[in-house]
């Protein structure tokens, strides 16, 4: 198992000639904040974290079929991130063929979608040393990222869009270019990680569903007995 984990270690992927990689900041919006009306959000923004949105350090690696996300050790300086840095794989690898990537616009109001219909983060919440922003959507979930420059954001957008197209063509047998052997192995380990995480999520959903059914059963039983004796 540790050998399989090592296969997806950031140090291993970075040695395997990835398509793209780099340090980013990911927008983290607390669930409670996202459910609140705008006027309450404005008040919560004056409260300390975890009441308000914040930016988490991440490291992205695009290689083969997937985009891998890593958590950077808090003790690692911003300029010290390298192959030797301690990085922990986060969540489920994102399948590139399912990804939609969009550049985001920084305005006087803050971070907005390209059509400027939605404010994703207010100006006061943006990291001061970042001027490039983009979003990655897959399986109904959208993640917003910040990088140092607009050029860097555009490189990520183009790279992920190209990766999506290449993987779709590869799955249809249209891409005849030779595929690196070490990428095949990494893809296999990525597939296994996806299957494992999916099984865990399914198990949690099943458990939650059973708990709800049990509560409803007892609630129904109590209601019925009240009706019978009441």
């Amino acid at each position: 198992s540790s050998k399989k984990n090592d296969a997806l270690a950031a140090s291993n992927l970075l040695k395997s000639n990835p398509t793209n990689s780099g340090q980013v900041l990911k927008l983290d919006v607390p669930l409670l904040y996202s459910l609140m009306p705008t006027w309450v959000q404005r008040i919560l923004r004056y409260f300390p974290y975890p009441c308000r949105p914040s930016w988490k350090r991440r490291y992205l690696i695009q290689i083969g079929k997937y985009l891998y996300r890593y958590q950077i050790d808090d003790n690692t300086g911003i300029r010290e991130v390298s192959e030797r840095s301690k990085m922990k794989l986060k969540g489920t690898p994102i399948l590139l063929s399912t990804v939609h990537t969009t550049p985001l616009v920084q305005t006087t109001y803050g971070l907005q979608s390209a059509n400027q219909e939605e404010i994703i983060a207010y100006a006061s919440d943006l990291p001061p040393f970042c001027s490039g922003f983009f979003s990655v959507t897959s399986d109904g979930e959208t993640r917003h990222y910040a990088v140092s420059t607009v050029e860097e954001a555009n490189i990520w957008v183009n790279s992920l869009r190209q990766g999506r197209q290449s993987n779709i063509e590869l799955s249809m047998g249209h891409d005849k270019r030779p595929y690196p052997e070490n990428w095949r192995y990494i893809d296999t380990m990525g597939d296994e990680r996806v299957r494992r995480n999916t099984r865990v999520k399914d198990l949690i959903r099943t458990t939650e569903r059973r708990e709800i059914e049990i509560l409803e059963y007892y609630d129904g039983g109590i209601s019925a007995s009240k009706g019978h004796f009441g």
Side-chain angles (χ1 to χ4, degrees):
S1 178
S2 69
K3 192 178 178 185
K4 288 175 182 176
N5 291 337
D6 290 346
L8 295 181
S11 55
N12 187 50
L13 266 58
L14 289 169
K15 288 174 195 163
S16 303
N17 196 22
T19 306
N20 197 13
S21 63
Q23 190 175 180
V24 299
L25 292 177
K26 176 189 172 282
L27 179 62
D28 182 54
V29 181
L31 179 63
L32 183 66
Y33 180 93
S34 65
L35 296 173
M36 292 296 170
T38 308
W39 68 270
V40 178
Q41 287 183 353
R42 287 199 185 103
I43 296 167
L44 286 174
R45 280 167 50 223
Y46 293 101
F47 283 74
Y49 178 80
C51 297
R52 55 177 288 172
S54 62
W55 294 85
K56 305 279 190 187
R57 290 176 70 194
R58 296 287 182 264
Y59 199 92
L60 301 182
I61 303 178
Q62 178 189 342
I63 186 168
K65 286 166 59 175
Y66 293 106
L67 176 67
Y68 298 89
R69 299 163 293 131
Y70 294 85
Q71 186 173 340
I72 302 170
D73 185 78
D74 287 336
N75 297 322
T76 308
I78 287 176
R79 301 188 188 282
E80 293 172 6
V81 178
S82 69
E83 280 182 20
R84 293 178 298 280
S85 301
K86 284 173 71 177
M87 290 191 266
K88 182 184 174 186
L89 183 60
K90 285 280 294 175
T92 305
I94 299 173
L95 194 62
L96 288 171
S97 58
T98 67
V99 158
H100 290 276
T101 319
T102 314
L104 300 174
V105 182
Q106 188 176 359
T107 67
T108 49
Y109 298 107
L111 187 61
Q112 294 187 260
S113 50
N115 55 19
Q116 296 189 20
E117 285 179 1
E118 176 195 3
I119 296 178
I120 294 156
Y122 291 97
S124 61
D125 292 328
L126 298 184
F129 47 87
C130 291
S131 57
F133 302 90
F134 64 98
S135 68
V136 176
T137 302
S138 176
D139 288 333
E141 187 174 353
T142 300
R143 298 171 177 88
H144 305 293
Y145 294 106
V147 287
S148 299
T149 64
V150 174
E151 290 75 21
E152 197 179 340
N154 288 336
I155 288 169
W156 270 113
V157 169
N158 293 332
S159 175
L160 291 168
R161 284 177 177 173
Q162 213 169 348
R164 171 186 160 86
Q165 189 61 34
S166 298
N167 275 282
I168 290 171
E169 288 175 7
L170 192 67
S171 66
M172 295 170 72
H174 295 170
D175 193 338
K176 303 298 182 189
R177 287 172 295 182
Y179 198 75
E181 201 55 46
N182 57 343
W183 285 19
R184 285 188 198 282
Y185 178 67
I186 290 167
D187 284 349
T188 303
M189 293 297 102
D191 292 341
E192 194 165 309
R193 172 94 179 186
V194 169
R195 281 194 297 271
R196 193 193 75 189
N197 286 7
T198 304
R199 279 197 303 270
V200 171
K201 283 179 184 173
D202 288 345
L203 187 64
I204 290 167
R205 282 196 202 101
T206 305
T207 306
E208 285 174 348
R209 199 159 50 239
R210 279 180 187 154
E211 284 175 357
I212 290 166
E213 284 169 1
I214 290 165
L215 286 169
E216 285 175 348
Y217 172 78
Y218 280 110
D219 189 42
I222 291 163
S223 301
S225 64
K226 277 184 180 174
H228 183 70
F229 296 110

